[in-house]
Amino acid sequence: MSDENETSILDILTKVNDNTWEVPGNYKPGMNVPGRIFVSKPLLDILEPETIDQVANVASLPGIQKYSMAMPDAHLGYGFSIGGVAAFDKEKGVISPGGVGFDINCGVRLIRSNLMEDDVRPRLADLLDSLFEAIPSGVGSKSRMRLTDEELDDVFIHGVNWAVKNGYGMKGDLSHCESNGMMPGADPSKVSIKARKRGRPQIGTLGSGNHFLEVQYVDKVYDEEAAKAFGLKEGQITFMIHCGSRGAGHQICTDHLQKLTQASKKYKIPLPDKQLACAPASSEEAQDYFKAMVCAANYAWVNRQMIMHWAREVFDEFFKAQHGDLGLDLVYDVAHNVAKLEKHMIDGEEKEVYVHRKGATRAFPAGHPEIPEDYKNIGQPVIIPGSMGTASYVLKGCPAAMELTFGSACHGAGRVMSRSSAKKELRGEEIQNELKSQGIIVRATQPSLIAEEAPEVYKSSSDVVDVVHNLGIATKVARVLPMGVVKG
DNA sequence: ATGTAC
């Protein structure tokens, strides 16, 4: 069966190099540009054939630039594949919620510390219990804090600035978030009452699915200079937070998809897939979505900020008396699901484009104006979470990203088994015990959630990372290994 | 991912 798959995929694609495969511009009628799928041969062998169709479908949207792209962790998503990158002309292009995803600004942040593995290992179980208690998790979980309507507007507009101003963080946190934790252009009047209602009680909650808070240690440094700049060294304790905009972002996406489905008809945009609903970038409908999407993006940054703040408190409670200042600095926070207006060189000219990254990480190189001062000579930290119980990677953005992928890299391991199959075929308790035997503690609200996120339902994060490393899009700086995981 | 179906 897999032989047939392989043959059909290889019949369609043209090999550009070991890690780049082209979907020819004539593969499907209506394609405006060819597709580019960045995978190694082994990852190509497990690529779902429908992903190629999704890449081709996106290539048919108006104003798309250069290529419709898919990162090495690509898999089937709503309209656009997860791992999809597409840039659209500011004037002649479109904006599409499917190119961002339901979990707007799902993303990940990494926090470093002065602690070493041996300092934490003896108290790990208690530490995880306290983190699990301090950070609400699971579907529909409610926050420890209640925002007023005015505060919710401030979160939507000012993002992490609001949090720092109110004592939930340090000034240095701002510059270490992509977009300083605050994308400009938010308009809360474009967010429905329903989305507000869902978002208000959820700020500072982890959610469910692949979202997690993980206590880790730096296992390996590949790039001494970059690791030093990022404040990372072998044996050091770090923690990582992976989550998004919860019900707020989901509702914002749902609301505007409905409006943009109508708009696609109004503007007579031919859609090979209804899930690609979109509108001309400059239209009121597209701009309304964008303004609401920015609200959700800023909400997600605050969400991760609050979780970090409470996790810092827990770490202090455990280790401050003995170790003093723990140096719990934010290394960086990246968005995985967002659309941004960026400047890119296209055919020798600088152009403004709406870059849609859905399950893809921005990976700007050294010298780019959007990189914080202390990382300016290194490149943007690119944080790639592994699946539960497996390694995560820190990379640095490199110049090839600007040439090949509109400054983008992969975002994670990428699923190979659906949630439903995983629940049927795997048992959470067994996986939890298996991880325990490897010294990894998992705290979750339900065993079935552990099954859905088992290591074997994901591709290997190291295979995925090797592709972007070998292409020179983003190169490896350090690897971190999990010690304990808090999950929804 | 998601008050995992209004």
Side-chain angles (χ1 to χ4, degrees), chain A residues 271-343:
Chain A
L271 298 180
D273 177 353
K274 279 180 185 168
Q275 296 184 348
L276 295 174
C278 61
S282 54
S283 68
E284 193 183 347
E285 292 91 338
Q287 287 300 316
D288 283 356
Y289 163 69
F290 195 78
K291 288 166 189 168
M293 183 213 73
V294 172
C295 291
N298 291 341
Y299 178 101
W301 272 306
V302 175
N303 193 27
R304 292 195 285 277
Q305 179 74 21
M306 297 309 303
I307 292 170
M308 175 178 73
H309 177 72
W310 292 324
R312 277 171 169 166
E313 287 182 348
V314 171
F315 270 86
D316 277 343
E317 189 188 305
F318 269 72
F319 301 107
K320 202 171 181 176
Q322 199 184 342
H323 297 273
D325 179 17
L326 302 178
L328 301 173
D329 300 321
L330 177 59
V331 175
Y332 206 66
D333 178 306
V334 290
H336 286 161
N337 284 6
V338 82
K340 286 180 161 181
L341 187 59
E342 293 175 358
K343 292 185 176 113

Side-chain angles (χ1 to χ4, degrees), chain A residues 32-38 55 58-59 61-71 80 83-90 93 178 335-336 338-365 368 370 380 382 397-410 468 471-474:
Chain A
N32 293 315
V33 293
R36 283 260 163 125
I37 300 175
F38 298 97
V55 168
V58 171
L61 295 178
I64 186 164
Q65 302 293 301
K66 287 169 81 170
Y67 300 103
S68 167
M69 299 172 189
M71 295 295 123
F80 292 59
V85 175
F88 299 94
D89 188 282
K90 189 190 172 190
E178 188 176 322
H336 286 161
V338 82
K340 286 180 161 181
L341 187 59
E342 293 175 358
K343 292 185 176 113
H344 287 275
M345 291 298 290
I346 296 163
D347 299 330
E349 270 179 62
E350 192 179 76
K351 272 184 92 165
E352 276 198 293
V353 286
Y354 282 101
V355 181
H356 291 57
R357 296 190 183 92
K358 179 190 191 176
T361 313
R362 199 187 71 178
F364 284 167
H368 193 285
E370 290 216 26
Q380 179 208 304
V382 176
C398 297
M402 301 310 279
E403 292 155 28
L404 298 175
T405 56
F406 296 107
S408 315
C410 57
V468 295
L471 284 165
I473 289 171

Side-chain angles (χ1 to χ4, degrees), chain A residues 99-117:
Chain A
V100 172
F102 279 85
D103 192 2
I104 296 164
N105 191 5
C106 177
V108 59
R109 64 171 55 190
L110 180 70
I111 297 93
R112 61 191 178 222
S113 79
N114 295 335
L115 296 165
M116 299 300 281
E117 188 192 347

Side-chain angles (χ1 to χ4, degrees), chain A residues 160-172:
Chain A
V160 177
N161 271 306
W162 171 84
V164 171
K165 215 168 143 187
N166 285 278
Y168 305 114
M170 310 184 284
K171 215 164 181 187

Side-chain angles (χ1 to χ4, degrees), chain A residues 163-231:
Chain A
V164 171
K165 215 168 143 187
N166 285 278
Y168 305 114
M170 310 184 284
K171 215 164 181 187
D173 296 342
L174 296 167
S175 67
H176 282 189
C177 290
E178 188 176 322
S179 297
N180 298 305
M182 190 213 94
M183 266 177 84
D187 183 352
S189 76
K190 307 302 178 192
V191 177
S192 69
I193 301 290
K194 206 172 172 184
R196 297 180 67 97
K197 200 178 164 192
R198 288 180 69 176
R200 241 172 61 146
Q202 290 188 324
I203 199 83
T205 63
L206 198 53
S208 185
N210 63 354
H211 292 167
F212 64 73
L213 185 155
E214 192 171 89
V215 178
Q216 315 161 320
Y217 68 99
V218 180
D219 153 65
K220 197 171 180 177
V221 165
Y222 303 91
D223 179 337
E224 285 290 346
E225 186 198 16
K228 200 176 169 202
F230 296 166

